[in-house]
Amino acid sequence: MGLALSATPSAVRASTPSAPPGWLSWTVWIVAATFYLAAFYLRTSPAVMTTELMRDFGIRASQLGQFSAFYFYAYLVMQIPTGVFVDSWGARRLLIAGSVAAAAGTFMFGATTSYAIASVGRAIVGASTAVGWVVTLKLATHWFPKRRFAMLSGLGLMMGNIGALFAQVPLRLLVEHVGWRAVAFGSAACVLAIGTAAWLLVADDPSERGYESQAPAELQQANRLTLGRLLRQFPAIFTYRNTWLIFLAQGGFVGAMLSFTGLWGPPYLVRRFGLASTEASTVCSVMIVCWAVASPLAGYFSDRLGRRKPIYLGGAILAAVGWSILFYTPLPLVAFTAVAAITSFACGAVVVAFAFAKESVPVRLLGTISGAVNVGNMLGPTILQPAIGRVLDERWSGALANGVRVYQVDAYHAAFAMIVTWSIVSCVLIAATRETACRQL
């Protein structure tokens, strides 16, 4: 009897699953984060081919803005059911499906001469890559301890910004050497390869590989999200003060960065400073690098400080001041680039919002909150990119270059006033939030 009793604890320990090894957790997460990288690349790629797109499709600035915004329209719509899909299909299946669809949409965009069909392809890419961020966060929740969530959120955004970096100088050089259509076909092949990697390497939870799940117990015990439940929960999350403040504030960060570096920044820099397209892309690349580096640092220092609001608000204030100086102060190129780098670094504070929002609602709403914050992110470029294009067309002086409209610097400054305004509004909204002290509501 004594021997049997003494053997029992050992048997229990032997049957208890261990935490997944670090290399396996990182492998799973990196595949998902690479898809998010591709999403950012596809999202911002029109910025370095504005002239080619306007020429080949015969469109003006407002139409180019709409074309780019089709990505965000579809992305926004998909944020609502993505929470259901990631719960019912699983992160792995959703990642594979998203990769295949994104590759198809990119191929369609590259193969057509029709503006309408290209816009449909752009929308397909937006809808399919909408799953990237939610899948990345979902796998981080299941494969890593909770204390690393904010850091992984920052790293995820950094991966996205690396994708945006590829869509600057490297992409511009490729477009000049092989043409934008060949680049589109190659991009489609790369995205399809990510889906293949997901099929081979990704699992939804460590338990599928014989390891202990790292998801919080409350989340593991929660009922699966259904579309009806999600639609009921979505309005409910806005009854919590921080949620709607963060939701509206996010566009001031993401909208500003993606509208400038992702579409209108390169042609503006060409016009203001007389740069070549590759030189203008280099300035935007500097901004993207700073944004990428700042994102994980913001999450890390927020975790170490045990506070969300100081870093989030501090970044918003610095960014609002930076955008104002960039557009309305007569800076030389070197000074402009330095201020742009600081402004972009400040925008890295945007990542704090994901942890801040998750801590501001009950656990039962965690399946909905990440998608809601991401909708807030995408409202910025969805509204700003086409709106800037409309202002440019309204202020067009009639100048043409190789059959493409040329816009004056004053027209850009008038349009960019919307970026500055939203950045200032974000400061006010974040100032009204309540600190969570890194603790779940």
Side-chain angles (χ1 to χ4, degrees):
M1 179 69 71
L3 289 174
L5 289 173
S6 64
T8 301
S10 298
V12 171
R13 284 195 299 270
S15 63
T16 301
S18 60
W23 67 267
L24 182 58
S25 298
W26 281 108
T27 297
V28 170
W29 184 84
I30 285 172
V31 173
T34 302
F35 181 67
Y36 188 59
L37 179 154
F40 251 74
Y41 163 83
L42 294 171
R43 182 183 302 167
T44 57
S45 58
V48 299
M49 52 181 80
T50 54
T51 300
E52 288 81 3
L53 295 179
M54 292 174 73
R55 182 191 64 227
D56 289 2
F57 290 116
I59 57 178
R60 53 188 184 273
S62 57
Q63 291 172 301
L64 179 62
Q66 284 291 349
F67 167 78
S68 184
F70 271 111
Y71 176 102
F72 299 105
Y73 297 149
Y75 192 102
L76 280 174
V77 170
M78 279 298 296
Q79 285 305 306
I80 295 176
T82 292
V84 175
F85 292 152
V86 78
D87 219 0
S88 57
W89 288 12
R92 177 178 178 270
R93 290 181 180 177
L94 196 57
L95 187 54
I96 294 170
S99 299
V100 172
T106 304
F107 183 87
M108 180 186 298
F109 158 62
T112 186
T113 58
S114 165
Y115 170 73
I117 295 175
S119 298
V120 172
R122 181 76 175 162
I124 291 173
V125 172
S128 53
T129 56
V131 308
W133 183 242
V134 173
V135 164
T136 302
L137 294 184
K138 178 76 169 178
L139 291 172
T141 300
H142 283 261
W143 282 89
F144 290 89
K146 179 182 177 181
R147 67 181 182 275
R148 303 178 79 173
F149 184 83
M151 182 199 70
L152 286 164
S153 298
L155 286 175
L157 186 54
M158 184 179 74
M159 289 287 286
N161 284 322
I162 291 172
L165 186 62
F166 285 143
Q168 294 295 327
V169 177
L171 180 59
R172 181 61 211 175
L173 292 173
L174 281 173
V175 168
E176 291 179 356
H177 283 82
V178 301
W180 70 268
R181 293 187 186 277
V183 168
F185 297 146
S187 300
C190 290
V191 175
L192 195 59
I194 296 171
T196 303
W199 177 63
L200 294 171
L201 302 173
V202 172
D204 292 326
D205 190 85
S207 60
E208 298 178 15
R209 301 288 175 85
Y211 299 104
E212 180 185 8
S213 176
Q214 300 298 292
E218 301 94 332
L219 193 59
Q220 295 181 51
Q221 296 167 4
N223 294 327
R224 286 189 177 276
L225 198 62
T226 63
L227 185 58
R229 183 182 168 204
L230 182 143
L231 292 175
R232 291 192 300 271
Q233 285 185 358
F234 201 82
I237 63 176
F238 291 101
T239 63
Y240 297 88
R241 174 175 175 166
N242 278 5
T243 303
W244 65 267
L245 292 170
I246 292 170
F247 176 85
L248 296 173
Q250 288 294 87
F253 292 95
V254 180
M257 283 297 299
L258 293 187
S259 295
F260 190 82
T261 65
L263 190 62
W264 298 117
Y268 164 72
L269 294 170
V270 168
R271 191 64 183 167
R272 177 172 173 176
F273 295 107
L275 303 178
S277 295
T278 51
E279 293 172 329
S281 298
T282 300
V283 176
C284 290
S285 296
V286 170
M287 297 177 70
I288 292 168
V289 168
C290 291
W291 196 23
V293 170
S295 299
L297 289 177
Y300 172 78
F301 284 116
S302 177
D303 287 343
R304 290 295 300 271
L305 184 64
R307 296 288 185 273
R308 303 301 183 196
K309 188 171 177 177
I311 291 176
Y312 192 30
L313 179 58
I317 293 172
L318 187 56
V321 173
W323 291 119
S324 301
I325 293 173
L326 287 174
F327 301 142
Y328 306 115
T329 303
L331 300 173
L333 179 59
V334 173
F336 182 97
T337 304
V339 175
I342 295 170
T343 303
S344 304
F345 192 89
C347 286
V350 69
V351 75
V352 175
F354 288 94
F356 199 5
K358 286 186 69 173
E359 293 159 359
S360 300
V361 299
V363 172
R364 63 183 174 83
L365 297 176
L366 292 184
T368 310
I369 191 64
S370 294
V373 174
N374 218 19
V375 169
N377 286 347
M378 292 303 106
L379 275 179
T382 301
I383 294 172
L384 288 175
Q385 285 193 353
I388 289 171
R390 284 194 294 271
V391 173
L392 289 175
D393 277 337
E394 289 171 0
R395 291 175 174 264
W396 179 50
S397 63
L400 293 169
N402 298 320
V404 177
R405 290 189 176 191
V406 175
Y407 304 96
Q408 302 302 318
V409 173
D410 288 346
Y412 282 104
H413 288 168
F416 290 161
M418 292 181 283
I419 289 178
V420 175
T421 300
W422 202 329
S423 297
I424 294 171
V425 169
S426 293
C427 296
V428 176
L429 294 169
I430 296 169
T433 59
R434 292 172 178 165
E435 180 61 62
T436 61
C438 299
R439 292 193 298 268
Q440 188 68 43
L441 178 68

